[in-house]
């Protein structure tokens, strides 16, 4: 994100999901993203997105994100991982 000019704050270490929701509001972030993996089946792994109000995204934002993910140009794998 930062390589595209988006300011990021990385929370240190392992952080429980409710901490991210709190932090979004506490640091006045525009959005919070939690990458998840668990003891559940791998198809349940993914990410959670929290809006600037600290709540998980809801319609219509969820559909807009899903639509952006499946756009053809977004399905091309990254090959430039930086230095």
């Amino acid at each position: 994100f930062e390589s595209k000019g988006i300011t990021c704050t990385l929370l240190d270490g392992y952080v429980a999901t409710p901490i991210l929701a709190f932090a979004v509001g506490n640091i006045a972030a525009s959005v919070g993203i939690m990458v998840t993996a668990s003891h559940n089946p791998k198809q349940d792994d993914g990410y959670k997105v929290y809006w600037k109000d600290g709540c998980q995204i809801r319609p219509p934002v969820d559909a807009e994100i899903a639509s952006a993910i499946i756009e053809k140009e977004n399905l091309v794998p990254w090959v430039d991982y930086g230095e």
Side-chain angles (χ1 to χ4, degrees):
F1 293 104
E2 287 184 338
S3 68
K4 299 298 182 185
I6 300 170
T7 302
C8 298
T9 300
L10 179 63
L11 301 179
D12 191 31
Y14 295 108
V15 179
T17 304
I19 299 297
L20 173 66
F22 171 78
V24 168
N26 193 51
I27 66 173
S30 298
V31 67
I33 301 170
M34 171 67 74
V35 178
T36 65
S38 71
H39 61 281
N40 295 315
K42 65 180 179 181
Q43 58 268 27
D44 292 342
D45 295 344
Y47 63 94
K48 296 177 182 178
V49 181
Y50 290 82
W51 205 235
K52 59 187 173 187
D53 61 2
C55 294
Q56 277 191 282
I57 57 168
R58 49 200 174 272
V61 176
D62 58 346
E64 292 168 358
I65 291 171
S67 177
I69 290 170
I70 62 171
E71 289 178 6
K72 186 176 180 179
E73 62 270 11
N74 292 332
L75 295 177
V76 177
W78 289 353
V79 293
D80 178 13
Y81 299 108
E83 298 291 327

